[in-house]
Amino acid sequence: MSIFVKRKTYNGKKRLPNSDGLRPARSDRQVLQQSAERQFKRQFFGLLLVIVTWSLAMGWLLALATNAHSATPPAEIGTVDVVPAQYQLGQELYLENCSTCHIALPPAVLPTQTWKNLLQDSQHYGAQLKPLVDPPRILVWKYLSTFSRVQLDDEETPYRLNNSRYFKALHPGVKLPRPVQLGSCLSCHPSANDYNFRRLTSQEAEGQRR
């Protein structure tokens, strides 16, 4: 007599050995490997999307900045030296305290020692002034000391433009009036009241071109 072994089925699917009867048997290693591969692909494409988006955004911002820079005329440099951003507050405080009574001079026309003495002394050319206090004094001093010039060891500290060799060095070939006063600057520098000493009168500009 033949013995027939009926294989049990579930919804028409054969049960396989070593399975739960519902799906083909897989090893745990294969399942974990395939799951890791899918996760890696998702992370890779996600990272690629972030890189592409970032590149497009940076390109757009760079183009926008370039167009804005080309459309904006460069600011005029009126002082003797270009003043970086970290000294601009000190420059503003210097102008606020020194240009209300007279033309503010660029630090380069006098040596550092002169500015130090003027900043500490309450007697200012015959007038009684209230000395600056910290922190504004420190900011003004950093600006003045950075853009002024070193005084020679055997050089007398000048307090008048006539006695400053730096003032004379900045005016080569210029016939200076005697004595030189702050008001004399306006004859050649029409924008001196605005702290712009690079803009010259047409006569002086023509003389420099020659």
Side-chain angles (χ1 to χ4, degrees):
M1 184 175 86
S2 301
I3 300 176
F4 296 93
V5 179
K6 293 184 179 181
R7 296 181 178 178
K8 295 181 180 180
T9 60
Y10 182 82
N11 290 338
K13 294 182 180 179
K14 297 179 180 180
R15 291 180 178 269
L16 298 178
N18 300 326
S19 70
D20 57 3
L22 300 179
R23 53 192 173 88
R26 290 183 183 179
S27 66
D28 293 341
R29 179 177 297 180
Q30 289 177 333
V31 173
L32 292 176
Q33 183 177 2
Q34 292 179 356
S35 176
E37 289 177 355
R38 288 193 297 269
Q39 185 177 2
F40 174 78
K41 289 180 180 180
R42 286 196 298 268
Q43 291 178 349
F44 174 78
F45 286 111
L47 179 61
L48 184 62
L49 180 62
V50 170
I51 293 175
V52 172
T53 305
W54 180 84
S55 301
L56 293 175
M58 290 301 295
W60 179 76
L61 290 175
L62 181 61
L64 187 64
T66 303
N67 293 334
H69 179 74
S70 59
T72 304
E76 183 179 11
I77 301 174
T79 54
V80 177
D81 298 297
V82 179
V83 180
Q86 63 265 34
Y87 300 106
Q88 289 178 2
L89 179 56
Q91 182 190 57
E92 293 174 5
L93 291 171
Y94 164 71
L95 295 176
E96 180 182 326
N97 287 274
C98 299
S99 65
T100 54
C101 299
H102 55 74
I103 294 174
L105 293 174
V109 302
L110 293 170
T112 305
Q113 188 61 42
T114 301
W115 292 113
K116 182 179 180 180
N117 295 346
L118 291 175
L119 197 60
Q120 294 175 344
D121 195 357
S122 59
Q123 292 292 331
H124 189 76
Y125 296 95
Q128 183 73 22
L129 297 180
K130 183 179 180 180
L132 284 176
V133 294
D134 296 340
R137 184 187 65 85
I138 296 177
L139 294 172
V140 172
W141 170 241
K142 285 185 177 180
Y143 166 66
L144 294 175
S145 61
T146 300
F147 296 99
S148 57
R149 310 301 190 236
V150 178
Q151 181 175 322
L152 299 178
D153 294 336
D154 57 348
E155 182 181 5
E156 184 178 354
T157 303
Y159 292 97
R160 301 289 179 180
L161 294 178
N162 280 333
N163 301 327
S164 173
R165 62 186 180 92
Y166 293 113
F167 177 79
K168 298 174 183 177
L170 290 169
H171 297 80
V174 178
K175 293 182 180 180
L176 299 173
R178 292 181 180 274
V180 180
Q181 299 178 348
L182 292 179
S184 305
C185 301
L186 291 171
S187 60
C188 298
H189 305 277
S191 300
N193 283 323
D194 298 326
Y195 204 54
N196 187 333
F197 291 88
R198 290 183 179 270
R199 187 180 301 161
L200 302 174
T201 60
S202 57
Q203 182 178 358
E204 287 299 322
E206 183 64 25
Q208 283 200 355
R209 283 194 291 268
R210 292 177 182 177

